[in-house]
Amino acid sequence: MHKNWPQMASELTGAVRELRGGAPEVMKGFSALAQAALKANALDTKTKELIALAIGVATRCDGCIAFHAEAAVKQGASREEVLETLGMAVYMGAGPSVMYAAQALEAFDQFETQRQPA
């Protein structure tokens, strides 16, 4: 295991909570933006989470990868869908995205393993 992605997401959740307490108006606006962006319309929420995961890879954001890999699992994304998504991220982000795509797949696999059967 390269990184413990569930632990990272948990630790970042605490840090984000601190930020929310210190900058409540900014974070309220960010939360509203996130809710509006993720609302299912022409694209379903799972597709939007896959897009966010790809952007996290292309921008090389560990925290984004952790949160959106977890969200992709929660939205029912398959490993095959994640792999196709990561292929697009690699295409758009070149060599460095290959390294982050490998980490994003690891993150998805770790969250998938944690998921409780429905």
Side-chain angles (χ1 to χ4, degrees):
M1 178 172 18
H2 183 255
K3 293 181 182 174
N4 185 329
W5 295 94
Q7 179 181 347
M8 180 187 300
S10 177
E11 290 171 357
L12 285 171
T13 296
V16 170
R17 190 175 304 115
E18 288 291 318
L19 182 59
R20 184 170 283 124
E25 292 303 313
V26 171
M27 294 307 291
K28 190 182 302 181
F30 180 77
S31 180
L33 177 63
Q35 289 176 16
L38 287 167
K39 184 179 178 194
N41 286 308
L43 297 175
D44 63 19
T45 303
K46 177 178 76 173
T47 301
K48 292 179 177 192
E49 286 296 350
L50 292 170
I51 291 168
L53 182 61
I55 292 169
V57 167
T59 61
R60 300 166 189 92
C61 175
D62 285 353
C64 299
I65 289 170
F67 284 121
H68 294 292
E70 181 178 25
V73 167
K74 288 178 180 176
Q75 290 297 319
S78 69
R79 193 168 197 270
E80 292 77 18
E81 290 171 319
V82 169
L83 284 166
E84 277 193 43
T85 297
L86 298 176
M88 288 302 298
V90 167
Y91 166 59
M92 297 304 294
S97 288
V98 171
M99 302 302 125
Y100 277 83
Q103 293 181 67
L105 184 59
E106 177 185 68
F108 176 84
D109 287 345
Q110 287 177 19
F111 286 110
E112 178 82 329
T113 299
Q114 282 191 334
R115 184 172 68 171
Q116 300 297 324

